[in-house]
């Protein structure tokens, strides 16, 4: 619903002209009150401007208002909690005329909901009865004696009858559902919490925390494809790691993440694999292909593609012109958001050269420059500016982005890396909030040489889908920072990959050989799929690889002759016998990329041999491949294990433990712990 | 927009002139009622609220200070009346009282009226102040600053509330689409 719809809806209400009778009644009542007020004039306090609470026709100053009685009736409703609870309580208190507030408050909201749904018939009856009473009292109460005259007994009975009629049949399931929804929402609304029983041992957080509103793009896992029908698979690389840290956070809290939060490729790419380095600087990265057996399905093979970019030596890093764009809106006001953002930015500062420039833009209800472009050598000045930030207000993210780009442009350095680093929970709600529009804006800026990286913070209302769109179109990395150690990993240990791109628009195309491969399936990369023809089209944007980045892609294939395939041969159309002669290859791998300052792409090709000996010769590669496969298997299990058969979390742990390697930073050990947690969370379900 | 009487009439009413006060009610009743209509979505409720507001106006008009615009003052008064009325009428908003409203279209009302009530019920369930914000901005055409001043909150709070309302209604619509 748009603002206009809402406005129209409310404006339509203006067609309701007041009725003359009601107007006359109101005027008469007002005139009487006016006269009465004139008499009491002297006792009035002078400071009641706009506040007439003391002057209401209460039982104290107007005996015709039967407020006490009203209150007596209301008391029972007060204790009864949320809407449907009220229905139940009324079943007890109205029909049986028993009111016991202690019993009422003991009902848990969840239980009330189910009971409420079960007692449909009673609900109708009670609804009608209670309605009747409520109306009577409200009439007595609000209109006093005047209204009473307007409603002779007969007319009243009639209208109540009509009311009961209209309620009883008019309770179709849809309306009831709508209502249940409203009621359940109501129980969550902050204002209502007071009336709900709060167990003594629940510690309420001191800050506002949304729950269950994290937004992810829906992912349909890549299906199994028949090589005879679709021999070519094309996708863009993805170096993001956001998914892994988000999943880790959820698992550390003992819950399985929602399926769409698990992007297989981001889980795999979180780890630093020790793939062979490129031989020379001419080619910015090297692709290593290995074929191994699929651990989760006998007969199937996995084609493992490992890409590693060259690393920039610390002294050779290009200059950086960075603009930190920090979200300081009210939603960032929690310990895992703004304070963590400040710490993270402080960490990043340590990785900059003294001559690099940093500017800070903060946005909440409005965007503002916190720090003009400042050289990193003035570290204290930058830290002080960061420290001053406080969270509060709404989120004019769109405006903030614009301002950040303006600053980046002001300090634009052709030979440097010009980058805006956005730190946010993604909840943009003022200004440009439309994803498409933001995307277009970021895209245009990318063309001009200013890139955007996104660091996500917080949970509960994390807008992952928007972050992905922004980072993908801004040639940047989307990372999710849940802890300070994750900030350390992304901004210090991997600062060069995060900051300096070595290849742009990297696309991968795999053509399978129908002679040797029957079916194939790409693990992950669902959000990065490209059309076959886009591979050679340099205008089509794709993912970027930063200095030292590792990218891994895994295909699961069913070789011809294996019985492990999923697709039955067609009864009617005979498959053409594939051309003979290339029986020694599973397929042909092509990678296209552009160097950072070039606009024409270059091509790398590698055949994938059936008799692959890479793993036998290279124990390190075997280990790295094994670990990547363990992560891939884990990610698939978290997504429901559609293709992994009986493979279990324990198998993941075994495979990962076997291939842990040196694990200098302990990420792989942490992974094994995570799998254990997932296993426990899964069993508890 | 709330209609305001001219200053002379207002002054005379404040001095206790019954006829002048009657004039004030005549001038204001329409806009009070229409506002109440948007706020409640139910004719009968709107009439009750409007009547309550007129009574309050009678009692409070002598304390009007010309510090704020009369219309602003009147908005505050009517809003307070509406709050009071809801508090007294049904402590559980959007319970079966509104089921009745939803289920039985009242005579001579359009579909948009029923829809409005559903929207209001959803917005009300979001917490205090959301309905006020919606009706003032979308219904009465106030800008965020005006509504914020009237409600005694920050402008950003008004913007945030409206954003939340939009989000909530959009998600409700999505869910309806799924069913």
């Amino acid at each position: 619903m748009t603002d206009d719809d809402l406005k129209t809806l409310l404006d339509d209400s203006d067609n309701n002209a007041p009725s003359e009778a009601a107007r006359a009644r109101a005027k008469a009542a007002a005139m009487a009150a006016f006269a009465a007020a004139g008499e009491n004039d002297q006792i009035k306090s002078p400071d009641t401007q706009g506040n007439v609470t003391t002057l209401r026709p209460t039982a104290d100053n107007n005996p015709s208002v039967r407020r006490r009685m009203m209150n007596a009736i209301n008391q029972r409703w007060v204790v009864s909690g949320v809407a449907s609870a009220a229905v139940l309580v009324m079943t007890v208190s109205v029909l049986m005329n028993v009111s016991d507030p202690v019993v009422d408050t003991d009902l848990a909201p969840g239980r009330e909901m189910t009971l409420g749904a079960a007692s449909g018939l009673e609900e109708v009856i009670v609804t009608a009865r209670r309605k009747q009473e409520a109306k009577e009292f409200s009439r007595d109460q609000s209109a006093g004696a005047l209204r009473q005259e307007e409603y002779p007994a007969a007319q009243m009975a009639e209208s109540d009858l009509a009311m009961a009629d209209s309620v009883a049949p008019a309770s179709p399931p849809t309306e009831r559902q709508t209502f249940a929804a409203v009621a359940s929402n109501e129980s969550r609304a902050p204002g209502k919490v007071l009336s709900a029983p709060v167990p003594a041992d629940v510690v309420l957080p001191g800050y506002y925390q949304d729950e269950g509103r994290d937004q992810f793009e829906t992912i349909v896992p890549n299906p199994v494809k028949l090589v005879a029908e679709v021999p070519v698979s094309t996708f863009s690389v993805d170096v993001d790691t956001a998914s892994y840290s988000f999943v880790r956070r959820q698992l550390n809290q003992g819950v399985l993440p929602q399926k769409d939060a698990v992007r297989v490729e981001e889980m795999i790419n979180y780890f630093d694999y020790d793939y062979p380095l490129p031989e020379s600087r001419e080619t910015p990265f090297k692709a290593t292909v290995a074929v191994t057996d699929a651990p989760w399905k006998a007969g199937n093979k996995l084609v493992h593609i490992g890409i590693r970019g060259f690393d920039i030596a610390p002294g050779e890093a290009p200059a950086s012109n960075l603009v930190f764009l920090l979200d300081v809106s009210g939603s960032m006001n929690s310990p895992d958001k703004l304070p963590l953002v400040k710490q993270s930015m402080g960490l990043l500062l340590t990785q900059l050269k003294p001559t690099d420039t940093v500017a800070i833009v903060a946005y909440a209800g409005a965007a503002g420059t916190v720090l003009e472009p400042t050289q990193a050598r003035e570290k204290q000045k930058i830290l002080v500016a960061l420290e001053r930030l406080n969270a509060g207000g709404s989120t004019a993210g769109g405006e903030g982005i614009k301002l950040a780009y303006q600053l980046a442009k002001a300090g634009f350095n052709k030979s440097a890396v010009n980058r805006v680093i956005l730190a946010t929970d993604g909840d943009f709600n003022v200004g440009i909030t439309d994803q498409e529009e933001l995307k277009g804006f970021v895209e245009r800026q990318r063309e001009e040489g200013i890139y955007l990286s996104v660091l996500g913070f917080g949970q509960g209302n994390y807008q992952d889908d928007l972050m992905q769109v922004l980072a993908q179109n801004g040639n940047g990395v989307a990372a999710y920072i849940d802890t300070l150690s994750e900030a350390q990993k992304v901004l210090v240990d991997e600062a060069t990959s995060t900051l300096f791109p070595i290849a742009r628009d990297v696309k991968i195309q795999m053509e399978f050989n129908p002679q040797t491969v029957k079916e194939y399936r790409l693990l992950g990369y669902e959000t990065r799929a490209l059309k076959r023809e886009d591979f050679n089209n340099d205008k089509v944007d794709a993912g970027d690889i930063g200095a030292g980045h590792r990218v891994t892609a895994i295909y699961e294939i069913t070789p011809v002759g294996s019985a492990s395939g999923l697709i039955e041969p067609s009864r009617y159309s005979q498959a053409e016998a594939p051309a003979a002669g290339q029986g020694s290859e599973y397929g042909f791998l092509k990678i296209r990329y552009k160097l950072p300052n070039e606009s024409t792409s270059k091509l790398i090709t590698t055949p994938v041999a059936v008799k692959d000996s890479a793993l036998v010769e290279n124990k390190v590669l075997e280990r790295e491949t094994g670990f990547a496969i363990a992560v891939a298997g884990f990610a698939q299990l978290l997504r429901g294990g559609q293709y992994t058969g009986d493979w279990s979390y324990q198998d993941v742990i075994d495979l990962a433990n076997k291939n842990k390697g040196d694990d200098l930073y302990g990420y792989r050990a942490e992974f094994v712990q995570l799998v254990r947690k997932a296993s426990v969370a899964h069993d508890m379900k | 927009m709330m209609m305001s009487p001219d200053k002379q009439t207002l002054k005379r009413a404040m001095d206790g002139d019954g006829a002048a006060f009657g004039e004030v009610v005549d001038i204001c009743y329409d806009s009070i009622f229409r506002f109440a209509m948007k706020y409640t979505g139910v004719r009968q409720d709107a009439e009750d609220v409007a009547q309550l507001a007129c009574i309050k106006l009678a009692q409070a008009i002598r304390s009007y200070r010309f510090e704020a615009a009369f219309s602003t003052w009147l908005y505050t008064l009517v809003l307070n009346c509406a709050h009071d009325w809801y508090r007294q009428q049904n402590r559980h908003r959007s319970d079966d009282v509104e089921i009745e409203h939803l289920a039985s279209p009242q005579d001579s009302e359009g579909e948009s009226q029923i829809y409005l009530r559903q929207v209001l019920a959803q917005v009300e369930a979001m917490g205090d102040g959301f309905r006020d914000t919606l009706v003032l901005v979308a219904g009465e055409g106030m800008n965020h600053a005006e509504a914020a001043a009237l409600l005694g909150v920050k402008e950003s709070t008004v913007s945030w509330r409206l954003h939340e309302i939009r989000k909530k209604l959009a998600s409700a619509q999505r869910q309806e689409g799924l069913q």
Side-chain angles (χ1 to χ4, degrees):
Chain A
M1 179 176 311
T2 67
D3 286 3
D4 283 345
D5 292 341
L6 268 179
K7 208 169 154 10
T8 321
L9 192 59
L10 283 155
D11 284 348
D12 276 354
S13 172
D14 269 343
N15 299 332
N16 296 292
S19 84
E20 282 313 310
R23 172 200 293 272
R25 255 193 334 263
K27 191 174 175 188
M31 296 305 284
F34 187 72
E39 289 159 22
N40 300 341
D41 212 11
Q42 52 272 52
I43 59 164
K44 210 183 309 163
S45 107
D47 54 2
T48 45
Q49 164 115 7
N51 177 4
V52 289
T53 344
T54 54
L55 304 167
R56 253 179 292 139
T58 59
D60 306 331
N61 60 15
N62 188 349
S64 72
V65 177
R66 291 154 66 186
R67 183 162 182 189
R68 282 206 188 90
M69 203 163 158
M70 184 71 191
N71 283 347
I73 297 293
N74 273 342
Q75 229 113 61
R76 270 182 262 150
W77 305 353
V78 176
V79 292
S80 60
V82 292
S84 42
V87 169
L88 265 183
V89 174
M90 289 309 294
T91 319
V92 179
S93 60
V94 173
L95 290 184
M96 297 169 71
N97 204 14
V98 174
S99 81
D100 186 350
V102 179
V103 172
D104 298 339
T105 44
D106 280 344
L107 286 169
R111 208 172 124 221
E112 289 153 10
M113 291 305 298
T114 39
L115 288 175
S119 61
L121 190 64
E122 280 164 304
E123 192 176 333
V124 172
I125 299 166
V126 177
T127 305
R129 279 194 62 162
R130 174 168 165 209
K131 193 69 272 311
Q132 197 169 325
E133 291 191 28
K135 270 286 168 194
E136 276 172 19
F137 279 113
S138 76
R139 273 175 207 147
D140 290 357
Q141 202 277 331
S142 61
L146 277 164
R147 265 302 262 287
Q148 203 68 56
E149 287 163 17
E150 300 272 329
Y151 284 90
Q155 192 191 334
M156 196 134 153
E158 193 184 49
S159 74
D160 283 337
L161 212 65
M163 215 178 291
D165 280 348
S166 62
V167 170
S171 305
T174 50
E175 228 124 48
R176 197 176 290 277
Q177 278 162 10
T178 321
F179 231 74
V182 171
S184 67
N185 286 337
E186 189 180 16
S187 66
R188 255 186 270 129
K192 302 290 183 289
V193 173
L194 284 176
S195 63
V198 179
D201 56 346
V202 172
V203 180
L204 295 171
Y207 52 90
Y208 176 73
Q209 169 85 60
D210 262 315
E211 260 174 44
R213 284 169 59 198
D214 306 307
Q215 278 192 26
F216 294 91
E217 195 181 329
T218 314
I219 301 173
V220 181
N222 283 326
V224 173
K225 287 183 182 150
L226 210 53
V227 176
E229 286 170 4
V230 197
V232 179
S233 156
T234 312
F235 62 94
S236 143
V237 296
D238 181 0
V239 292
D240 294 348
T241 56
S243 178
Y244 183 83
S245 12
F246 192 85
V247 166
R248 173 176 63 198
R249 177 177 199 151
Q250 298 273 300
L251 287 174
N252 279 334
Q253 293 171 349
V255 271
L256 289 175
Q258 52 171 298
K259 282 184 184 175
D260 288 336
V262 185
R263 283 185 291 269
V264 180
E265 74 278 12
E266 292 191 16
M267 301 279 286
I268 301 175
N269 287 336
Y270 181 82
F271 300 93
D272 294 335
Y273 301 101
D274 195 5
Y275 298 144
L277 277 162
E279 285 99 9
S280 70
R281 295 286 294 271
E282 318 300 82
T283 43
F285 54 82
K286 181 181 172 68
T288 313
V289 182
V291 181
T292 180
D293 289 331
W296 47 78
K297 191 154 194 183
N300 275 7
K301 301 232 171 229
L302 297 180
V303 176
H304 176 280
I305 304 165
I307 296 172
R308 180 165 182 184
F310 73 81
D311 214 340
I312 299 178
E316 295 170 22
S320 314
N321 165 31
L322 301 181
V323 178
F324 296 166
L325 174 55
L326 310 180
D327 181 349
V328 293
S329 64
S331 60
M332 294 292 283
N333 186 17
S334 98
D336 61 347
K337 294 185 183 173
L338 192 58
L340 191 53
V341 170
K342 291 179 183 173
Q343 287 174 319
S344 307
M345 293 300 143
L347 281 179
L348 183 54
L349 275 187
T350 62
Q351 298 302 302
L352 298 180
K353 290 199 297 254
T355 48
D356 291 348
T357 56
V358 170
I360 303 177
V361 174
Y363 66 90
T369 309
V370 176
L371 184 71
E372 295 286 338
T374 305
Q375 292 206 332
R377 72 178 71 196
E378 295 179 68
K379 200 169 161 195
Q380 208 47 42
K381 189 173 163 194
I382 302 173
L383 287 175
V384 166
L386 275 174
E387 219 31 66
R388 276 205 312 263
L389 297 170
N390 280 316
S394 56
T395 320
E399 201 187 326
I401 285 192
K402 280 191 173 166
L403 187 60
Y405 274 113
Q406 274 169 20
L407 274 183
K409 229 177 256 175
F412 193 83
N413 179 349
K414 224 178 157 203
S415 59
V417 173
N418 300 279
R419 194 179 281 279
V420 173
I421 297 179
L422 168 63
T424 177
D425 58 1
D427 195 11
F428 288 11
N429 55 25
V430 180
I432 319 181
T433 54
D434 183 52
Q435 279 198 14
E436 283 305 308
E437 207 180 328
L438 277 172
K439 185 178 136 185
F441 182 74
V442 171
E443 249 172 20
R444 284 195 300 280
Q445 299 296 333
R446 182 192 68 209
E447 302 303 324
E448 303 197 2
I450 302 172
Y451 296 169
L452 176 73
S453 291
V454 182
L455 305 177
F457 290 84
Q459 64 169 350
N461 190 16
Y462 181 62
Q463 313 286 317
D464 179 79
D465 45 0
L466 178 65
M467 315 284 234
Q468 289 290 320
V469 165
L470 290 181
Q472 283 181 22
N473 292 288
N475 277 10
V477 181
Y480 178 79
I481 312 267
D482 55 342
T483 58
L484 193 58
S485 51
E486 181 65 19
Q488 168 90 17
K489 176 177 187 284
V490 174
L491 299 173
V492 178
D493 304 339
E494 295 169 7
T496 50
S497 13
T498 309
L499 292 177
F500 311 121
I502 53 167
R504 291 192 302 128
D505 296 349
V506 183
K507 302 169 190 169
I508 298 181
Q509 187 164 61
M510 185 78 170
E511 179 172 4
F512 287 101
N513 180 359
Q515 269 181 283
T516 50
V517 183
K518 184 165 155 272
E519 296 167 9
Y520 71 92
R521 176 172 74 90
L522 174 60
L523 275 59
Y525 290 96
E526 284 87 358
T527 58
R528 302 293 180 131
L530 291 175
K531 295 196 196 88
R532 186 175 175 176
E533 62 269 27
D534 288 346
F535 184 70
N536 285 335
N537 185 350
D538 285 348
K539 289 280 177 196
V540 176
D541 183 54
D544 304 291
I545 294 185
H549 259 143
R550 283 81 155 169
V551 181
T552 306
I554 300 174
Y555 280 100
E556 181 175 353
I557 60 170
T558 308
V560 167
S562 164
S564 55
L566 289 173
I567 303 176
E568 289 274 314
S570 165
R571 178 186 165 98
Y572 301 107
S573 58
Q574 282 299 318
E576 285 175 45
Q582 302 272 328
S584 63
E585 290 173 7
Y586 276 136
F588 196 63
L589 174 71
K590 291 187 276 189
I591 302 175
R592 269 197 184 282
Y593 67 94
K594 293 178 202 158
L595 288 172
N597 296 319
E598 291 176 7
S599 54
T600 21
S601 64
K602 295 196 161 91
L603 183 68
I604 301 179
T605 58
T606 320
V608 183
V610 171
K611 287 202 173 52
D612 181 60
S613 56
L615 293 185
V616 184
E617 290 160 9
N618 189 339
K619 286 293 159 202
V620 175
L621 184 61
E622 185 186 8
R623 185 187 74 206
E624 301 301 301
T625 307
F627 192 79
I629 291 170
V631 182
F634 178 54
Q636 292 181 87
L637 285 179
L638 285 178
R639 289 197 57 88
Q642 199 180 344
Y643 296 106
T644 46
D646 327 324
W647 221 54
S648 68
Y649 288 113
Q650 190 52 48
D651 296 319
V652 176
I653 295 172
D654 294 344
L655 185 60
N657 269 334
K658 212 167 72 189
N659 297 299
K660 239 191 241 169
D662 296 339
D663 195 20
L664 286 179
Y665 294 101
Y667 298 132
R668 296 189 183 190
E670 184 194 52
F671 171 76
V672 174
Q673 289 307 321
L674 271 196
V675 183
R676 293 216 171 89
K677 283 174 185 154
S679 174
V680 170
H682 184 264
D683 291 343
M684 275 167 38
K685 206 169 49 164
Chain B
M1 212 42 221
M2 285 289 174
M3 298 296 292
S4 302
D6 60 86
K7 219 169 171 177
Q8 268 70 37
T9 318
L10 199 54
K11 277 226 169 92
R12 275 190 292 132
M14 287 169 66
D15 290 340
D17 182 338
F21 176 72
E23 225 174 288
V24 171
V25 173
D26 284 339
I27 291 167
C28 298
Y29 184 81
D30 257 41
S31 42
I32 294 175
F33 172 80
R34 284 182 209 275
F35 178 72
M37 198 63 204
K38 284 172 198 165
Y39 196 88
T40 61
V42 184
R43 169 173 288 272
Q44 203 176 31
D45 296 354
E47 285 173 1
D48 286 357
V49 170
Q51 176 163 339
L52 201 57
C54 288
I55 295 172
K56 273 195 187 176
L57 178 61
Q59 291 159 339
I61 194 163
R62 288 176 180 83
S63 61
Y64 174 61
R65 291 272 173 275
F66 292 98
E67 281 157 8
F70 183 77
S71 66
T72 310
W73 183 79
L74 192 54
Y75 268 122
T76 315
L77 185 146
V78 178
L79 267 178
N80 282 338
C81 283
H83 294 164
D84 289 349
W85 186 83
Y86 267 102
R87 256 200 297 279
Q88 292 164 0
Q89 171 79 1
N90 47 329
R91 306 240 162 192
H92 307 288
R93 294 161 196 181
S94 73
D95 61 4
D96 26 54
V97 173
E98 275 171 67
I99 283 189
E100 180 229 20
H101 293 331
L102 292 176
S104 64
Q106 320 230 325
D107 39 80
S108 77
E109 70 174 5
E111 207 175 295
S112 69
Q113 201 64 37
I114 301 168
Y115 190 34
L116 172 62
R117 279 203 296 274
Q118 286 176 340
V119 168
L120 287 173
Q122 279 176 333
V123 170
E124 179 65 29
M126 295 174 70
D128 287 342
F130 283 90
R131 186 201 286 241
D132 299 1
T133 310
L134 176 70
V135 175
L136 287 178
V137 176
E140 299 289 295
M142 287 190 184
N143 63 35
H144 295 192
E146 289 166 347
L150 211 147
L151 294 171
V153 297
K154 280 192 199 150
E155 187 177 345
S156 53
T157 308
V158 167
S159 310
W160 174 78
R161 280 177 185 166
L162 287 169
H163 171 71
E164 290 297 308
I165 289 170
R166 253 178 264 136
K167 224 160 58 175
K168 162 106 176 190
L169 293 179
S171 82
Q173 244 174 1
R174 265 207 304 277
Q175 272 165 11
E176 249 167 63
L178 290 176
Q179 277 167 8

